[in-house]
Amino acid sequence: MANVACVWGANGISGTGMIDALIEQSLSAFSKIICISRRKMQFDIEDKRIYFISIDLIEAGIDEIVTELIKADGHTITHMFYYAHVPKMDEIEQDNINKILLQKALDATEKVAGKNVKCVSLQTGYKYYGVHKGPQYMAAQPFIEDAARHEGVNFYYTQEDLIKEYATKNKWNYSITRPNLIIGVSKGNMLNFAISLAIYASVQKEKGEPLLFPGNELAWDVVLDHSSSSNNSHFQLWASTNDQTANQIFNIHNGDKVQFRTLWPKFEKYFGFEHHEQKFSENKMESQLNFYEYMTQSKTVWDQIIQRYNLDKASFDYANWLFTHYLFSIPYNTEGDLTKARSYGWTTTIDTAESYSQCFDRLKKMKIIPT
């Protein structure tokens, strides 16, 4: 019997990446791909196996979600891939809302598919190691999967515990993966760095300005693990269908050493800029731009670009300038250890700069940035 996938959070960067990976699989491997998201289908993917459910998991009750899964022949689900996420500034609120979302997905899957499920796959990330809270909370680097948890609330702790609980109760296998900065495409994902970067580069090009690195000198030099959504999803698919990797937690990233100082000249080349030698302040924590303010004020320039190239009129709203400013300002390394994944047989290494180029190429095809 062929497997059936159910992708929760299908319109996001990671959900789209998983759907890309699934449609590469043969019909005999995966005969159906059930996709679930609050918004209607946003991705540019065509495959007869895709069945899309648009439903608000926050507002919907379990019975409503169950009904929609039954319509999709959800009793055939063998693999659940969970990426749904609601960001909140308050940690307790973020913990509560994301626990509710995951619990609804697990309850609905349990009721509809039950023992037919082989594996539930959850993606969390380096926030597990406290990277969002700063060095005083962070685990020792490079991060290893069994690192001690930091004090206080972390919604990834709640989610990982919940996945293990339901897997144990239902005799399902589970797979948990922890990527870092994810490169990929989506329309309206709150953590979409690649779109923000591409729009910024296009604005600078339009203004005739150099591709100034908006952040500070420390962020320019630190090592920042990147995780291509394509690499993540292929790893997650491999781990969830491999008996040897059942009930394990893995770090996953591209496997190369990434710094903005080495990526930036490649971005300049891709977007057709002359090389600009960055000149930072003596204060190594001082950013070269107030990025949020700068990009907000550049909206009129972007509107002109939209008109000239007939781009998606909502494209500016797909970016997140605050999140991008944060990434341009990280003053410490964030490195995870891939030893465990390697020891189980994962050998893939991805060129991060090439991942960005592929992402930018797709954004052009989606009419989000100019060609």
Side-chain angles (χ1 to χ4, degrees):
M1 289 286 290
N3 293 315
V4 172
C6 185
V7 182
W8 301 76
N11 276 322
I13 296 173
S14 297
T16 301
M18 177 51 73
I19 295 164
D20 282 338
L22 285 165
I23 64 173
E24 293 173 4
Q25 310 305 306
S26 67
L27 190 64
S28 60
F30 279 89
S31 60
K32 192 166 191 174
I33 306 165
I34 301 170
C35 304
I36 301 174
S37 183
R38 176 179 56 84
R39 294 171 296 154
K40 293 180 180 179
M41 191 166 76
Q42 302 288 309
F43 44 80
D44 57 335
I45 302 170
E46 293 184 9
D47 191 287
K48 292 181 180 179
R49 291 173 289 179
I50 293 175
Y51 183 104
F52 199 93
I53 299 171
S54 177
I55 190 167
D56 189 331
L57 296 181
I58 298 174
E59 298 297 328
I62 293 296
D63 289 344
E64 185 180 351
I65 300 169
V66 164
T67 298
E68 293 301 321
L69 279 179
I70 290 172
K71 290 178 186 176
D73 292 330
H75 66 280
T76 61
I77 292 170
T78 57
H79 290 76
M80 168 181 167
F81 299 97
Y82 188 85
Y83 305 105
H85 170 234
V86 176
K88 295 289 182 181
M89 293 299 292
D90 181 80
E91 287 187 307
I92 294 175
E93 186 180 3
Q94 180 168 242
D95 184 50
N96 289 338
I97 191 67
N98 284 287
K99 179 181 180 181
I100 289 169
L101 290 185
L102 177 55
Q103 198 152 23
K104 284 183 177 181
L106 289 167
D107 283 340
T109 301
E110 182 181 58
K111 287 187 176 184
V112 176
K115 302 301 181 185
N116 198 59
V117 175
K118 298 176 183 178
C119 185
V120 287
S121 175
L122 171 69
Q123 177 179 283
T124 57
Y126 280 20
K127 282 185 179 180
Y128 186 97
Y129 304 118
V131 297
H132 59 305
K133 297 175 74 68
Q136 68 272 28
Y137 286 91
M138 281 166 53
Q141 297 193 52
F143 305 127
I144 57 174
E145 290 83 353
D146 60 358
R149 294 178 171 184
H150 65 68
E151 293 183 3
V153 175
N154 187 319
F155 78 101
Y156 283 162
Y157 300 166
T158 301
Q159 286 190 319
E160 292 194 8
D161 290 346
L162 204 57
I163 280 284
K164 292 175 186 176
E165 176 190 327
Y166 274 74
T168 300
K169 178 174 63 169
N170 290 284
K171 295 183 172 57
W172 300 336
N173 289 334
Y174 70 82
S175 178
I176 296 172
T177 48
R178 298 176 186 154
N180 194 37
L181 173 56
I182 299 175
I183 310 166
V185 299
S186 72
K187 295 182 178 181
N189 185 282
M190 289 299 291
L191 304 179
N192 198 330
F193 176 67
I195 283 182
S196 303
L197 175 61
I199 291 177
Y200 166 64
S202 301
V203 165
Q204 292 300 92
K205 191 80 173 173
E206 177 74 9
K207 289 181 175 181
E209 298 286 340
L211 192 62
L212 191 72
F213 177 70
N216 60 55
E217 187 172 2
L218 291 179
W220 179 250
D221 288 326
V222 299
V223 177
L224 179 66
D225 280 350
H226 280 57
S227 305
S228 159
S229 65
S230 175
N231 187 55
N232 295 345
S233 57
H234 282 92
F235 177 81
Q236 290 156 356
L237 190 55
W238 173 78
S240 66
T241 55
N242 184 342
D243 290 339
Q244 301 299 315
T245 56
N247 306 319
Q248 297 294 328
I249 301 171
F250 295 99
N251 291 329
I252 181 63
H253 60 79
N254 288 351
D256 56 351
K257 186 174 181 177
V258 182
Q259 297 169 285
F260 280 124
R261 68 157 44 251
T262 56
L263 281 178
W264 214 254
K266 296 173 183 178
F267 294 154
E268 288 176 320
K269 183 177 180 180
Y270 181 90
F271 289 104
F273 287 89
E274 294 292 326
H275 177 64
H276 172 74
E277 199 66 32
Q278 307 292 328
K279 297 178 181 179
F280 295 100
S281 166
E282 289 185 7
N283 177 0
K284 293 189 176 185
M285 289 287 288
E286 184 178 336
S287 294
Q288 297 201 81
L289 288 178
N290 182 326
F291 193 64
Y292 176 82
E293 183 178 297
Y294 182 81
M295 289 308 299
T296 301
Q297 292 174 352
S298 298
K299 176 67 163 58
T300 54
V301 176
W302 184 250
D303 287 341
Q304 294 168 9
I305 296 171
I306 286 175
Q307 290 297 321
R308 184 179 312 124
Y309 293 96
N310 191 30
L311 303 179
D312 184 336
K313 289 181 171 58
S315 54
F316 199 80
D317 297 329
Y318 302 152
N320 185 327
W321 310 122
L322 283 175
F323 174 64
T324 306
H325 173 73
Y326 161 75
L327 290 173
F328 284 147
S329 306
I330 296 174
Y332 44 80
N333 292 347
T334 51
E335 295 184 86
D337 192 333
L338 279 186
T339 299
K340 185 175 179 181
R342 299 297 194 212
S343 72
Y344 277 82
W346 184 255
T347 59
T348 303
T349 296
I350 300 294
D351 183 324
T352 294
E354 181 59 27
S355 290
Y356 272 110
S357 294
Q358 292 170 2
C359 181
F360 298 148
D361 288 346
R362 190 165 176 183
L363 292 176
K364 289 176 179 178
K365 290 178 181 177
M366 294 168 69
K367 304 287 285 184
I368 292 175
I369 62 171
T371 55

